[in-house]
């Protein structure tokens, strides 16, 4: 049987998203077209690949096997494309990736490790950048990809893809003042001593922007530049901290409460830039690694 690479990509997206509709959206296909491609794949394979239900789809054992081998095939094809493209692309023109502070903490490093190992001929320049600046640079053709926040990137005219939850939570020492609580407002958090990021950090400025002029008075016992240090201080009982939930490692021992304020619920989007001399294969590959890293980050 001869497999079409786009069909394999579509099938992987469908399995990953648990939905033919979502898989079609990732491939920029209509639902009827995507459904026809999946049915054709099943017909030529001679086996059922997906179990369809009211809430989505899940792979059969044959579908799981196909997805595993498809992922390997597509990864090898990406390496081949990257190796050949290396002869036509200037080594002084790396991909440019921009991301905010929370994405730079775990998501971007995880994606970079897998991408750079898989694509030894492609270089990446990474910079921390707030969403408004990232959007401007992408629109001006000065960057290839950007991880942005949904509420600050609406209607900007760029191609956007959902990347994952980046909601904020409050953390503190296990068994401390958060014990027994599942959610609270920022006003309640501000009644206690806090530890926070530096005033120039993208997360601190984002929070203060949404609190507005009537923000409650806050006592910061100390401010730091690194999310790892911030979480460690909160876990040690120095003070409460407001951080993205995805900044927390699954094995960390601390109390975590959701923030009830509407502005605390936010999502990451992956935005694609408009460059004069694009490298579509490498850009698409890096985007795929960012999506995979986001899924892995959310798994625990």
């Amino acid at each position: 049987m001869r497999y079409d690479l786009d069909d394999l990509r579509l099938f992987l997206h469908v399995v990953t998203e648990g939905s033919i509709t979502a898989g079609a959206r990732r491939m920029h296909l209509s639902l009827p077209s995507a459904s026809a491609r999946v049915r054709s794949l099943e017909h030529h394979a001679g086996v059922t690949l997906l179990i369809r239900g009211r809430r989505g789809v899940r792979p059969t054992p044959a579908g799981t096997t196909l997805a595993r081998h498809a992922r390997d095939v597509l990864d090898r094809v990406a390496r081949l494309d990257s190796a050949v493209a290396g002869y036509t692309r200037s080594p002084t023109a790396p991909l440019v990736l921009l991301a905010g502070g929370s994405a730079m903490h775990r998501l971007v490093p995880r994606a970079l490790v897998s991408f750079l190992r898989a694509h030894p001929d492609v270089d990446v320049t990474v910079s921390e950048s707030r969403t408004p600046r990232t959007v401007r640079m992408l629109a001006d053709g000065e960057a290839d990809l950007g991880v942005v926040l949904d509420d600050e990137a609406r209607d900007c005219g760029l191609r956007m893809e959902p990347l994952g939850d980046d909601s904020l939570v409050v953390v503190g020492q296990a068994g401390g003042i958060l014990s027994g609580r599942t959610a609270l407002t920022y006003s309640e958090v501000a009644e206690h001593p806090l530890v926070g990021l530096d005033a120039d950090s993208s997360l601190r400025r984002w929070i203060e922007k949404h609190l507005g002029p009537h923000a409650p008075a806050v006592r910061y016992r100390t401010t730091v530049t690194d999310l790892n240090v911030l979480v460690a201080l909160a876990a040690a009982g120095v003070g409460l901290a407001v951080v993205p939930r995805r900044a927390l490692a699954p094995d960390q021992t601390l109390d975590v409460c959701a923030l009830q304020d509407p502005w605390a619920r936010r999502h990451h989007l992956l935005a694609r830039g408009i460059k004069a001399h694009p490298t579509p294969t490498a850009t698409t590959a890096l985007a795929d690694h960012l999506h995979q890293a986001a899924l892995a980050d959310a798994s625990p």
Side-chain angles (χ1 to χ4, degrees):
M1 175 178 172
R2 305 177 77 177
Y3 290 96
D4 181 88
L5 293 180
D6 284 338
D7 287 349
L8 294 181
R9 290 190 182 92
L10 171 63
F11 186 74
L12 271 181
H13 287 317
V14 169
V15 171
T16 300
E17 299 286 350
S19 163
I20 295 178
T21 301
R25 189 182 305 118
R26 291 279 297 273
M27 290 291 292
H28 306 287
L29 296 172
S30 67
L31 178 58
S33 175
S35 297
R37 281 176 173 263
V38 173
R39 285 196 301 270
S40 176
L41 195 59
E42 289 181 311
H43 173 74
H44 286 93
V47 293
T48 301
L49 299 173
L50 295 173
I51 298 173
R52 293 154 172 87
R54 289 187 301 173
R55 297 187 176 181
V57 298
R58 56 188 175 89
T60 63
T64 300
T65 299
L66 176 62
R68 183 174 67 251
H69 286 285
R71 188 173 290 108
D72 183 57
V73 167
L74 293 173
D75 185 57
R76 289 177 181 272
V77 169
R79 293 188 189 192
L80 172 62
D81 288 344
S82 175
V84 174
Y87 290 96
T88 60
R89 182 173 49 82
S90 169
T92 60
L95 295 179
V96 177
L97 171 63
L98 307 175
S102 62
M104 293 287 284
H105 179 64
R106 288 166 61 90
L107 172 66
V108 169
R110 188 193 292 266
L112 280 178
V113 167
S114 61
F115 175 81
L116 292 174
R117 284 177 175 172
H119 302 273
D121 299 314
V122 181
D123 301 329
V124 184
T125 297
V126 183
S127 299
E128 182 172 338
S129 172
R130 297 180 65 210
T131 293
R133 175 176 176 269
T134 297
V135 168
R136 287 195 301 272
M137 291 186 66
L138 290 168
D140 291 341
E142 298 176 8
D144 296 278
L145 294 169
V147 181
V148 298
L149 292 173
D150 54 346
D151 77 319
E152 292 186 314
R154 292 192 184 100
D155 304 320
C156 66
L158 297 174
R159 176 180 164 191
M160 301 281 185
E161 303 163 10
L163 199 56
D165 182 73
D166 192 48
S167 295
L168 302 180
V169 295
V170 56
V171 297
Q173 185 178 33
I177 57 177
L178 297 180
S179 183
R181 301 291 300 272
T182 58
L184 66 170
T185 65
Y186 187 84
S187 294
E188 293 175 290
V189 175
E191 295 174 359
H192 305 278
L194 303 184
V195 288
L197 293 175
D198 286 350
D200 289 334
S201 71
S202 57
L203 177 59
R204 174 84 172 270
R205 294 175 68 177
W206 190 91
I207 292 174
E208 292 176 350
K209 168 190 169 184
H210 285 78
L211 287 173
H214 304 296
V218 174
R219 175 196 171 196
Y220 283 107
R221 297 202 62 199
T222 188
T223 58
V224 295
T225 59
D226 185 86
L227 270 172
N228 282 321
V229 176
L230 181 61
V231 173
L233 288 171
V238 175
L240 300 181
V242 174
V243 298
R245 186 183 293 275
R246 73 186 320 157
L248 306 176
D251 58 347
Q252 284 181 300
T253 303
L254 37 68
D255 284 337
V256 182
C257 286
L259 275 178
Q260 292 178 315
D261 305 79
W263 51 262
R265 293 186 291 274
R266 59 188 202 167
H267 292 82
H268 274 148
L269 301 174
L270 180 61
R272 295 177 183 257
I274 305 170
K275 296 200 74 172
H277 303 289
T279 53
T281 300
T283 303
T284 299
L286 179 55
D288 287 342
H289 281 263
L290 285 162
H291 280 292
Q292 292 167 16
L295 288 172
D297 215 21
S299 296

